[in-house]
Amino acid sequence: MSFSRRFRNLPPKAIRVTDPFWSRWQEILCRRTVPHIHRQLVETGRIANFERAASRSGRFEGLFFNDSDVYKWLEAAAYAQAIRFEPSTQEAIDDTVRKIAAAQQADGYLNTFIQLEHPDLRYRNLGALHELYCIGHLVEAACALAENLGQTALLDVAVRAVGNVRSVFGPDGRIGYCGHEELENALVRLADLTGEESYRAYALWMIEQRGRRPSPFEAELWDEAAMAVNDHPRHALLRNGEYSGEYCQDHLPIRQHTEVVGHAVRAMYLYAAATQAAMDLGDEALEAALVRVWRNLVDKRMYITAGVGASASNEGFTRDYDLPNLQAYAETCAAIGFVLWSQRLLEATGESEFADVVELGLYNGVLSGIGTDGESFFYPNPLESRGQHRRVPWFACACCPPNVARTIGQIGSLAVGASDEAVWIHLPIGFDAELRFPDGPARLSARGEHPWKEGYELSIDVDRPTEFEVRVRIPGWADDVSFETSDDGEAAEYECGDAVFRRVWKPGDRIRMAWTLHPVWMESHPLVLENAGRVALQRGPVVYCLEEADLGAHPQNFSADVWTEPEAVSAADLFPGAV
Ligand code: FUB
Ligand code: ZN
């Protein structure tokens, strides 16, 4: 497996999703989810915290890392605006950016919790207080606004905030990184956007410091003032009185990791960032470690929905094959992080099995995190319920709602990528995009009714004969896959799980893809003891949920005749097109 960037994701503004399934979700995102989250940010004081920090008056409201919810919302709103411009959302974005900028301190420091409540504790409790995590989400929001809307005001704030971090931590300064990974992802993104490579090197430095000894978190455990504010590291990072660090992947240097441990969102974000850094720097040893850990997760610690992090106690991983259904934690953000990491591995290798996981996660473990009203959310996504789980409009710890919003905003980017000479179609969703190849531009238009119906058609419009490759992933779940091209030209070649069409394309050329879609009874690995005697039902990438409302019987008492193929029937009353 080679490990160098094979393609780039198209930014949301460069691709129009026309897919019946996802365009509906994007419509819900723009019209409901983004305004809904903004209302919650206002009502819960999250935006007012910035105003208070700017005026240096008043108390901080909420949880110490609430700034990050505002940043994640801004990122989602940037994508939403690129999809469908709403003047009221733009006003909310502009107002919020102004308030954030006003709150930033003269030296670039920005964290409203510390500024309002504990100015003496700046960067003294990295293990718990998420200052660098918040800066990471600030940077991502700033990049999204710059890339998609051409707005750079927040980028200036973000660059100054990163400058403040770098004035303290680094190879020539203090060793430090955040208890919750995220800044690493953001720095790589900032390097891509600005062309300033030192951000990438800095991300890699943080990634590689993690897991060495002594850990910077160890000394913090004895800083009484810092622990008085939040002593979670004393519980989370020690095991039998000894420093372990597993909770935040600080147990071993990353190149020695063999399995996923600790808090799931943190782990996914770390590995996503490390994959991107390894890919950009062509670091094969790091790559080998990342693929090894990904395999451990996919083969032994992942739910059928691509939900990850089974345990509530550490919001994370336990041991191989420990995948309870009723108690499953499977946080929405963890599935999102897993999708992000798998997507980076896909970018680095082009291997379609990573796209299989991206797709599985998007249609299941991620999307279960939001209701079809666009205004209700799950934080844990259990695989079994006795009726006690309901989606709710908001959480005190509201990491998941804006995270699922920013993911829906990026569906087009996750589905289609481009390199200098090829377009990569990872998910068979409907889209329109214009790409530039050395021979000239090409307008691509794809149509289909995935995931409910078989079949996909890609139309190519070029001004003159134009050479490029079209690479279409053959999904792991698809049976009887076949292709037909309008020119009856050369057959596809198969590489990395993709069908690859190399051609000089003419106006009006088309590729049709067909497959068959059967509902399949799925069994888990026999060591998942919880699932002995149980099956799940999957059709294409969609894992079905069996519920009493439709059955008139208690699901726990239901049995399935697995020797009979289930019949697929329309359920369009539940969701348009649903089968
Ligand atoms: O700590 C920030 C976020 O809140 C984590 O990613 C989630 O697991 C939740 O704890
Ligand atoms: Zn979350």
Side-chain angles (χ1 to χ4, degrees):
M1 203 183 282
S2 76
F3 212 68
S4 58
R5 183 183 283 288
R6 307 288 312 272
F7 63 89
R8 282 192 182 276
N9 298 326
L10 301 183
K13 71 160 189 214
I15 177 164
R16 196 168 75 84
V17 174
T18 58
D19 190 62
F21 184 88
W22 286 109
S23 64
R24 185 158 193 276
W25 275 109
Q26 292 201 328
E27 169 101 3
I28 292 171
L29 171 77
C30 300
R31 294 187 43 185
R32 305 198 64 161
T33 311
V34 165
H36 168 81
I37 295 177
H38 182 250
R39 277 194 300 279
Q40 297 292 338
L41 297 176
V42 172
E43 281 168 21
T44 58
R46 281 167 165 85
I47 293 182
N49 282 333
F50 288 94
E51 296 179 90
R52 296 177 191 128
S55 64
R56 297 185 202 174
S57 61
R59 299 295 304 265
F60 177 88
E61 208 177 331
L63 273 180
F64 57 94
F65 57 88
N66 277 1
D67 289 1
S68 62
D69 300 332
V70 178
Y71 302 143
K72 276 152 83 179
W73 169 77
L74 276 171
E75 185 186 343
Y79 305 140
Q81 289 297 80
I83 293 164
R84 175 196 163 115
F85 188 84
E86 298 279 350
S88 56
T89 297
Q90 194 56 46
E91 270 171 43
I93 291 174
D94 295 344
D95 178 62
T96 308
V97 168
R98 265 194 304 275
K99 287 173 177 158
I100 293 169
Q104 186 167 38
Q105 298 197 311
D107 62 356
Y109 184 84
L110 183 54
N111 181 286
T112 68
F113 171 71
I114 295 286
Q115 287 169 233
L116 286 166
E117 299 294 325
H118 301 285
D120 52 324
L121 289 186
R122 252 195 199 200
Y123 301 137
R124 271 175 61 185
N125 190 348
L126 294 181
L129 290 183
H130 287 45
E131 287 153 285
L132 305 185
Y133 165 89
C134 290
I135 299 298
H137 280 301
L138 165 66
V139 170
E140 292 227 44
C143 291
L145 285 168
E147 280 163 4
N148 291 283
L149 306 180
Q151 285 186 247
T152 55
L154 197 65
L155 194 58
D156 296 339
V157 176
V159 164
R160 292 199 322 115
V162 170
N164 181 269
V165 175
R166 287 174 85 172
S167 71
V168 177
F169 303 101
D172 303 322
R174 204 176 123 192
I175 293 185
Y177 40 89
C178 195
H180 197 312
E181 298 91 330
E182 161 55 24
L183 181 58
E184 297 84 348
N185 278 306
L187 289 166
V188 175
R189 187 167 180 180
L190 190 60
D192 282 345
L193 180 75
T194 60
E196 175 54 61
E197 283 302 312
S198 66
Y199 292 128
R200 198 182 317 278
Y202 192 49
L204 191 64
W205 176 80
M206 285 193 166
I207 291 166
E208 301 225 88
Q209 289 308 309
R210 191 176 286 270
R212 298 192 183 186
R213 295 292 176 266
S215 163
F217 303 136
E218 286 179 75
E220 290 178 1
L221 298 176
W222 312 113
D223 180 339
E224 293 303 332
M227 289 296 121
V229 176
N230 187 326
D231 69 350
H232 185 245
R234 282 188 176 162
H235 311 290
L237 300 181
L238 298 177
R239 182 179 290 168
N240 301 326
E242 296 282 312
Y243 185 79
S244 127
E246 271 201 0
Y247 176 74
C248 61
Q249 298 73 44
D250 195 35
H251 55 306
L252 282 172
I254 191 163
R255 289 164 197 276
Q256 295 170 34
H257 290 195
T258 53
E259 51 185 30
V260 275
V261 299
H263 184 273
V265 184
R266 294 172 201 233
M268 298 302 98
Y269 285 10
L270 170 67
Y271 294 134
T275 301
Q276 179 145 8
M279 158 172 73
D280 294 339
L281 302 168
D283 187 330
E284 288 185 8
L286 182 51
E287 165 220 334
L290 291 160
V291 172
R292 184 168 68 225
V293 177
W294 189 85
R295 279 253 72 92
N296 165 253
L297 175 52
V298 171
D299 294 347
K300 299 177 179 168
R301 298 187 179 197
M302 173 186 99
Y303 284 100
I304 191 170
T305 54
V308 294
S311 161
S313 66
N314 62 347
E315 299 192 297
F317 299 102
T318 55
R319 52 184 195 281
D320 290 349
Y321 305 114
D322 178 29
L323 293 166
N325 296 311
L326 187 59
Q327 299 91 345
Y329 197 66
E331 182 182 338
T332 304
C333 288
I336 291 169
F338 188 26
V339 163
L340 189 68
W341 177 25
S342 303
Q343 174 73 18
R344 298 270 167 83
L345 284 165
L346 175 65
E347 283 167 47
T349 63
E351 295 285 343
S352 71
E353 79 172 315
F354 297 114
D356 285 343
V357 171
V358 169
E359 185 182 51
L360 188 68
L362 288 173
Y363 284 95
N364 300 285
V366 173
L367 216 41
S368 59
I370 182 167
T372 50
D373 60 359
E375 300 186 359
S376 57
F377 307 93
F378 270 149
Y379 186 129
N381 293 269
L383 276 81
E384 178 180 337
S385 174
R386 307 264 156 104
Q388 72 273 42
H389 300 95
R390 288 278 180 278
R391 294 187 182 86
V392 296
W394 195 243
F395 309 95
C397 173
C399 48
C400 301
N403 220 359
V404 75
R406 73 182 180 133
T407 307
I408 291 172
Q410 294 178 84
I411 288 301
S413 313
L414 294 168
V416 184
S419 51
D420 289 346
E421 271 133 32
V423 55
W424 298 65
I425 301 178
H426 307 300
L427 308 181
I429 74 165
F431 72 91
D432 292 333
E434 178 165 334
L435 300 178
R436 299 220 140 253
F437 296 104
D439 279 2
R443 289 164 293 281
L444 304 176
S445 179
R447 297 292 177 265
E449 288 182 58
H450 188 57
W452 308 121
K453 291 196 181 152
E454 299 101 338
Y456 190 61
E457 180 169 302
L458 178 73
S459 313
I460 297 164
D461 181 26
V462 283
D463 299 333
R464 55 174 181 275
T466 303
E467 184 170 8
F468 59 95
E469 259 177 30
V470 177
R471 308 180 63 109
V472 186
R473 162 179 157 256
I474 300 177
W477 46 259
D479 287 328
D480 311 319
V481 176
S482 63
F483 291 93
E484 194 188 302
T485 52
S486 54
D487 64 354
D488 288 329
E490 267 176 54
E493 286 175 20
Y494 294 90
E495 194 188 300
C496 303
D498 290 345
V500 183
F501 299 88
R502 292 195 180 90
R503 291 273 196 294
V504 176
W505 300 97
K506 298 181 305 309
D509 274 346
R510 267 194 245 291
I511 299 174
R512 282 201 194 90
M513 180 182 182
W515 62 81
T516 54
L517 203 51
H518 300 284
V520 180
W521 295 114
M522 303 289 286
E523 279 180 271
S524 61
H525 189 286
L527 287 179
V528 184
L529 299 181
E530 274 260 339
N531 289 347
R534 291 177 165 181
V535 287
L537 184 63
Q538 185 167 344
R539 182 172 178 271
V542 176
V543 179
Y544 281 76
C545 169
L546 190 68
E547 64 176 16
E548 191 180 355
D550 304 317
L551 297 170
H554 205 279
Q556 277 78 20
N557 298 331
F558 216 72
S559 66
D561 173 5
V562 297
W563 304 114
T564 309
E565 184 176 309
E567 192 186 341
V569 295
S570 165
D573 52 329
L574 290 178
F575 192 87
V579 168

